[in-house]
Amino acid sequence: MLQTSDVTSVKPQTDGRRERYLAAFRWMLLARVFEEKLASLYRGGKVIGGVFLSKGQEALSAALGVALRKGDIYAPLIRDSAGRFAFGESLLDAARTCIGSRLGPMRGREGNIHRGKPREGYYAMISHLGVMVSTVSGGLVARRFKGVRDVVGATCIGDGGTSTGSFHEGLNMAAVEKLPLVVVVANNQYAYSTPTSQQFACADLVDRAIGYGVRGHKIDGTDPQACFDVVGEAVARARAGEGPQMVVADLLRLVGHGEHDDAHYVNHALKVSPIGRDCLEVARAQITAAAWMNAMQIDSLRDQLQAEVESAFATALREPLPDPNLEDWRALSTEALAEGRA
Amino acid sequence: MAITYLEAIREAQAKLLADDPRVFIYGQDVGNFGGAFKATKGLAKEFPGRVLDSPISEDAQVGLAIGAAIEGMRPIIEMQFADFSTCGLNQIINHAATMFWRTNTKCPITVRLPCGGTAGGGPFHSQSMEALYAHYPGLIVLNPATVEDAYSMLIAAVHIDDPVVFCEHKYLYYHLKADALPTEALPIGKARVARPGRDATIVTYSAMLHEALACAEELAKDGWQIEVVDLRSVKPLDTDTILGSVARTGRLLVVGEAFPWGGVTAEVVARVATEGFSLLDAPPMRLNAKDTPVPYHPNLWGTHRPTARAIIGAMRELLHA
Ligand SMILES: Cc1ncc(C[n+]2csc(CCOP(=O)(O)OP(=O)(O)O)c2C)c(N)n1
Ligand SMILES: [Mg+2]
């Protein structure tokens, strides 16, 4: 039998701990500043379509992004600005996608969270939840065929997404194939308006790990240090050939499902409970307690990131928008086989 | 008091729940939240225990509806977006659709699909799925284009003893208003002449009806009288009304928002060509979306889907053919 789903004992690496923490913190802070700007542009009518923010989930998201390396496969989901930046996405490309710039990687064909660069290992999600579990697994199977070692594939999902058939099929398959897959589940207590009580009946999502035959890890997603340590360990175990890892983090979505949603349905008791903590505030406290940075240094880092964000959006906003006359209106890569008629 | 297309759908469900204890609604966020678009607003409170939040499990949602229907219930399944119904496709096309034919057991489920494009919707929140479902034997596929039809056809859908895919257009949800709910309606399966004319016929359905009517209005300024037929139901397809219109005008343009390969517009042209070829004074024309996924940015989306302007262009070509 494979691993238990118990909370794993965390064996923190102590060397380089400060550097790793601060690197991840920077991505968390960048994500927060980026998303605040995005929300304000949305309110100002500059962003068309939905805007989905990750407030409260930056630590978990960044934890995965920093644990991965170039050459790994990463398929983020809705609330992963921090992880995306940590994995290497450029701020400008993120801004371009949200604005719809023709020069961005999605060329205005796709907006916001659906962005990615699959050929760089940065897979672009479709909306249908759960599908990336098997897709990343397929990427890992390909790497195995090619004899590539030391590679990890990771994807993120929410509590709601775990109810899909795709999630189940994908994780079971990855377990059968013993793939170096890490699935990070952000249990933020809601799927849109639906509370977890209406989503699953197991005591804890991590209990599913044993059923799939994968190792389960449980974290307080509001505790950045715990996120960095446990997600780091899960990625290390996958890389070491121990098979799929399922990380379940408890936290709370501190914003609406999207910016259109006032989230009035969120239980007040959760907001004032430990799960409702803002991981960024916790990070500040952890950093200043360890005397790694003082409050002034953190503020000045924030100012610096703010300037970078402003500049990225200013650039994206000046860039040309997509132009239907410049589109080839072709969905096939095989030009000779494209019908080319509407 | 003006009522929107969306409110009409809500009111239809309220009436169905009130009138028939066999009706219940199952879908993501449909309960206290009232649905992603608010099509079930207040219904969970008004009808306790009969408007239920489901997990994000489309396959199981439809499966549950099928089981309940076998036992005599009249379930309504709300898909959060039509696009996600593909995750329940197997249950709809292979299970619900074959039930009566295989087992002589009725399967009266209604699957509501918020479909069609809106600005910024992108590839996975914009699709028109009617052709996919209409292809399979054993399903009824409805595409209301008006507030009145949204109301009366949804009520009719739930009363039908067979599985119904109810395609409600998101673009019409808030845009379209009527003065009051209808007290009578055309039967399911009947198309409607939405605007009479004698020079050419546009056959269309759902949100494209309004683009077609705008085109007819515009061309009327040049003295053209364009007849517009609203299919209402794409399966069954009312070939008689279509042929009757083509008999009057001799020219046919079929407009749809879905992808161009096959589909409803192709089916209409095929029927007119095979059953009414001699009625045509010019080759029939089709206008569809482009053969790519639905683009996110409005600059692209506005070209991807047919608009009144595009329909006018096609119609001028047809009138001079
Ligand atoms: C298969 C599928 N069905 C429905 C949806 C619509 N939808 C988008 S996000 C969402 C809620 C997701 O909740 P969760 O997985 O918990 O992630 P969170 O938004 O909380 O981060 C739903 C229902 C979808 N994207 N995919
Ligand atoms: Mg959630």
Side-chain angles (χ1 to χ4, degrees), chain A residues 79 127 129 158-161 188 190-191 257, chain B residues 28 56 58 80 84:
Chain A
R79 308 186 198 283
S127 293
L129 297 167
D159 43 284
N188 62 9
Y190 288 88
H257 173 62
Chain B
Q28 295 155 26
I56 306 176
E58 285 80 5
Q80 197 152 84
F84 301 127

